[in-house]
Amino acid sequence: MAQPADHAVVVENLTVRRGKRTVLERVGLTIPRGTITGLLGPSGCGKTTLMRSIVGTQIIEDGTVTVLGSPAGSKDLRAKVGYVTQAPSVYRDLTVSENVAYFAALYGRGKSAVTSAIESVGLGDHASSLTGELSGGQLSRVSLASALVAEPEVLVLDEPTVGLDPVLRSELWERFAHIAASGTTILVSSHVMEEAEHCSALLLMRNGAVIAQLSPDELLARTDETNLEHAFLTLIRTTEKLEKAS
Ligand SMILES: Nc1ncnc2c1ncn2[C@@H]1O[C@H](COP(=O)(O)OP(=O)(O)O)[C@@H](O)[C@H]1O
Ligand SMILES: [Mg+2]
């Protein structure tokens, strides 16, 4: 399918098996460029598997995943797609700037990219601190800086706010907004429905399927709720009723 210029990611008919289980079944979705899209759903529903399919590290059974006009995992996407996994992958025995410089070298970026990535996650004062001595929230920001240093067009973040206190969590969402405002497309997963309020588009998942793609306001309007968590639950109940009736 031709990819409209305003879509960073187009997924069609995606089916993925892990072991003997079908983890994603005929998933279809689009991710608009330059937005923050929230991938929301309970643990085990397939968020990480879908993200792995988009960054090209997941073997897929069927369907197509197109990123910036190329098949997911293509060589020309390597520097264009950044991925921050659920567990921060950092070298604890290196300083913050050594960590980020390592990834900069992989993507052929120079010293100024390192400095600006570290600044953009608010770790400027910790550039020469040993990574192993940082707090959990700071560790995840080192991981984020390591992805940002490549200056990716698409940034995939798997549950980046898990385990952070509310202040750090809201700080991180502010940073995401800032990064998206500069034109980067962000796909961010969470199992906390409240976080949907920071996103302009939502992909709601349940049991290996995307049950809705809409904005937070549309979700509230469609379910006649005022709270996003209640709205998601209402949507799930409606979906279940429809499934039983069919
Ligand atoms: N390596 C694996 N082998 C087999 N099944 C897996 C593997 N990783 C995850 N799964 C299963 O795939 C499903 C979706 O997992 P995942 O994509 O990690 O969900 P989420 O990120 O939403 O928690 C889960 O039921 C999980 O048990
Ligand atoms: Mg996951």
Side-chain angles (χ1 to χ4, degrees):
M1 188 187 101
Q3 180 136 340
D6 53 345
H7 287 148
V9 178
V10 178
V11 173
E12 291 174 295
N13 210 27
L14 173 66
T15 298
V16 173
R17 277 186 241 290
R18 293 185 92 168
K20 286 188 178 149
R21 291 197 44 200
T22 299
V23 174
L24 297 179
E25 191 152 28
R26 288 199 250 153
V27 167
L29 58 93
T30 54
I31 298 176
R33 274 183 199 259
T35 58
I36 302 184
T37 297
L39 178 59
L40 292 135
S43 289
C45 72
K47 300 182 296 297
T48 297
T49 307
L50 177 57
M51 291 184 142
R52 285 165 49 95
S53 306
I54 291 170
V55 297
T57 58
Q58 179 66 51
I59 293 173
I60 68 176
E61 183 81 16
D62 198 12
T64 57
V65 182
T66 312
V67 182
L68 303 169
S70 299
S74 303
K75 219 173 163 192
D76 64 307
L77 292 176
R78 265 197 55 201
K80 294 183 186 167
V81 180
Y83 178 36
V84 181
T85 54
Q86 221 161 334
S89 39
V90 291
Y91 300 100
R92 289 166 184 265
D93 53 338
L94 299 183
T95 65
V96 171
S97 64
E98 285 165 345
N99 260 286
V100 179
Y102 172 80
F103 290 94
L106 284 184
Y107 296 104
R109 303 287 195 259
K111 253 190 174 153
S112 65
V114 173
T115 310
S116 88
I118 293 173
E119 292 285 339
S120 76
V121 300
L123 286 177
D125 294 342
H126 294 276
S128 46
S129 306
L130 208 55
T131 307
E133 289 167 359
L134 301 178
S135 71
Q138 289 169 330
L139 273 188
S140 25
R141 283 187 279 154
V142 175
S143 219
L144 180 60
S146 300
L148 282 176
V149 77
E151 294 161 0
E153 291 177 43
V154 176
L155 188 56
V156 177
L157 307 168
D158 199 355
E159 304 219 24
T161 59
V162 165
L164 300 187
D165 66 54
V167 174
L168 286 176
R169 214 183 297 163
S170 93
E171 266 180 32
L172 207 53
W173 278 106
E174 272 171 37
R175 302 216 178 267
F176 298 159
H178 200 74
I179 294 163
S182 72
T184 307
T185 304
I186 299 184
L187 175 65
V188 51
S189 66
S190 176
H191 64 270
V192 182
M193 198 54 207
E194 284 161 28
E195 301 206 297
E197 66 172 325
H198 302 285
C199 304
S200 49
L202 302 177
L203 293 166
L204 304 182
M205 280 192 84
R206 179 180 154 264
N207 292 343
V210 171
I211 59 168
Q213 172 160 18
L214 70 196
S215 71
D217 286 345
E218 285 165 349
L219 173 60
L220 296 176
R222 189 194 284 191
T223 52
D224 208 15
E225 297 279 0
T226 51
N227 164 304
L228 286 164
E229 180 155 13
H230 291 165
F232 187 34
L233 293 173
T234 303
L235 191 77
I236 287 176
R237 276 187 222 113
T238 317
T239 313
E240 278 172 355
K241 267 186 208 150
L242 287 173
E243 277 167 7
K244 276 186 195 135
S246 66

